[in-house]
Amino acid sequence: MGKHIDPAQAVQVVDARGLYVVPGLIDLHTHVFYGIDPSRAYCGGTEGVVPDGLSFRSGITTMVDAGSSGWRDFPTFKKQVIDNSRTRVLAFVNIVGWGMRGSAYEQDTKDMDGKLTAQVARQYKDYIVGVKVAHYVGPEWTPVDEAVKAGQLAGIPVMVDFGSSTPPLSINELFFKHLRPGDIFTHCFGQLKSREAIVDVGTKVLKPLYARRSSGGRYSTWGMARSVAHSARPFRR
């Protein structure tokens, strides 16, 4: 890099005037545990996408899978996807042992084990960068608390897709009583009737969330990852 570089010395010259020159982008929220079994959804099923088909053409060199695999099947995910991709693939491991295998599996609180999740995270510390909570329907805090337990044991952050409940669980309680600075609240603009919104009727972000953000909370805005366009876009926070 330099202000004055003689183009004649280059093998290839790219005119980047008016553009940004950056390192490879990181997509923080993807679902790339692809497979051929439709019944397995994002966990080795047909909802997952192939990383290399979407990454490099969009300037992305690293994709982070957001909880498709759990502590039971992360080794399969690594062997099938991570080890066979030119794209660098990292992962948030799901607090559910069977990951995102489908609704029935994702509601089983007995399969949410912070200790076993942390054990797998430590075993694969070069690939697992966090713990994921997603798709749980109910008033219990078990998924979040077990995920935070795993995060504490393994020294990694937690990403929460807040699921749904009737009446909705309190986002304020989630942020201030359960999550830690550095944890991530994803799908934060998912407007479901069974999920508390982070904006008021005037479309302004609720004041307590600004307070949490200033103390280290992170928000990730992505919507559903099943769309191909989603996985091709860079990460925003």
Side-chain angles (χ1 to χ4, degrees):
M1 296 180 65
K3 291 184 178 180
H4 304 289
I5 301 175
D6 184 1
Q9 299 178 8
V11 174
Q12 180 181 5
V13 177
V14 177
D15 186 351
R17 285 175 293 187
L19 304 175
Y20 292 104
V21 179
V22 299
L25 299 173
I26 300 172
D27 191 336
L28 183 65
H29 191 144
T30 67
H31 291 290
V32 293
F33 190 178
Y34 62 88
I36 61 173
D37 184 351
S39 69
R40 294 186 65 97
Y42 295 99
C43 181
T46 54
E47 298 289 350
V49 297
V50 180
D52 294 345
L54 300 163
S55 57
F56 302 120
R57 72 185 189 188
S58 303
I60 294 168
T61 54
T62 298
M63 287 183 164
V64 185
D65 185 273
S68 302
S69 64
W71 56 267
R72 294 182 185 276
D73 52 15
F74 179 81
T76 301
F77 174 53
K78 179 181 180 298
K79 182 178 180 180
Q80 180 171 312
V81 178
I82 295 176
D83 294 348
N84 289 298
S85 299
R86 292 179 60 208
T87 309
R88 183 186 184 215
V89 177
L90 304 174
F92 278 75
V93 66
N94 204 303
I95 191 60
V96 179
W98 286 117
M100 293 184 177
R101 190 172 173 178
S103 181
Y105 293 93
E106 296 177 71
Q107 307 309 312
D108 186 2
T109 56
K110 294 180 180 179
D111 200 32
M112 302 174 186
D113 193 308
K115 185 176 181 180
L116 290 175
T117 300
Q119 181 178 324
V120 171
R122 289 192 298 261
Q123 181 180 353
Y124 294 97
K125 61 182 180 180
D126 291 337
Y127 304 97
I128 295 177
V129 295
V131 182
K132 177 71 182 294
V133 176
H135 304 168
Y136 184 69
V137 179
E140 296 83 7
W141 290 97
T142 303
V144 173
D145 291 340
E146 285 297 314
V148 170
K149 177 182 176 180
Q152 291 171 334
L153 290 172
I156 51 180
V158 170
M159 177 189 286
V160 175
D161 173 358
F162 206 22
S164 61
S165 177
T166 304
L169 291 172
S170 166
I171 293 180
N172 193 60
E173 183 175 348
L174 171 70
F175 280 16
F176 289 95
K177 294 186 179 181
H178 297 271
L179 297 184
R180 308 156 298 163
D183 289 338
I184 301 165
F185 183 58
T186 193
H187 297 317
C188 62
F189 294 117
Q191 298 298 100
L192 304 177
K193 291 183 178 179
S194 54
R195 181 186 300 177
E196 192 173 76
I198 72 165
V199 294
D200 61 18
V201 292
T203 69
K204 293 183 178 180
V205 176
L206 302 176
K207 289 183 178 180
L209 303 191
Y210 272 117
R212 188 54 173 159
R213 186 172 185 271
S214 65
S215 65
R218 301 175 184 174
Y219 310 142
S220 170
T221 62
W222 288 134
M224 293 300 291
R226 77 173 63 211
S227 100
V228 171
H230 160 86
S231 292
R233 287 180 281 181
F235 161 62
R236 298 174 185 171
R237 186 174 65 192

